[in-house]
Amino acid sequence: MERQQVVDVVTKHIRLNAEGLDDKPVDTSKSMKEFGLGSLDIVEIVSASMRELKIRVPRTELANLANIDELVDLFLKVRQEQ
């Protein structure tokens, strides 16, 4: 799986949960909180993305991520290890 495919999945779920992002680009160097998303929104985005990608990531590995790029890189790493 290519990195861009993982980015597309995560940004799709961000768009479904964030208001006002419909056709605007999502800057993956930003955190989800910078898009006005709360903790419950973030949990939903991460969970939905993992379901779609068919991966499981321990919560301890998710806790220290600073931005969307780091989340994508983690998802890609886990996906490639399967």
Side-chain angles (χ1 to χ4, degrees):
M1 176 170 272
E2 299 291 322
R3 187 176 195 282
Q4 188 57 48
Q5 292 172 294
V6 178
V7 169
D8 291 345
V9 168
V10 173
T11 55
K12 175 180 85 174
H13 291 289
I14 290 171
R15 287 181 197 288
L16 291 171
N17 286 275
E19 294 182 24
L21 280 181
D22 301 325
D23 294 329
K24 296 177 186 171
V26 175
D27 182 353
T28 57
S29 68
K30 293 184 176 183
S31 74
M32 287 189 227
K33 289 184 180 182
E34 291 179 73
F35 292 103
L37 295 161
S39 57
L40 293 177
D41 295 320
I42 294 169
V43 168
E44 174 58 31
I45 292 163
V46 171
S47 296
S49 297
M50 287 193 301
R51 277 192 303 275
E52 186 169 335
L53 295 167
K54 296 179 173 70
I55 59 172
R56 294 182 71 63
V57 179
R59 289 183 186 172
T60 54
E61 290 187 44
L62 295 168
N64 297 320
L65 301 177
N67 58 38
I68 299 166
D69 277 329
E70 290 181 13
L71 178 66
V72 168
D73 290 341
L74 177 61
F75 282 177
L76 188 60
K77 177 183 154 216
V78 169
R79 178 71 191 222
Q80 290 173 339
E81 290 174 353
Q82 290 182 338

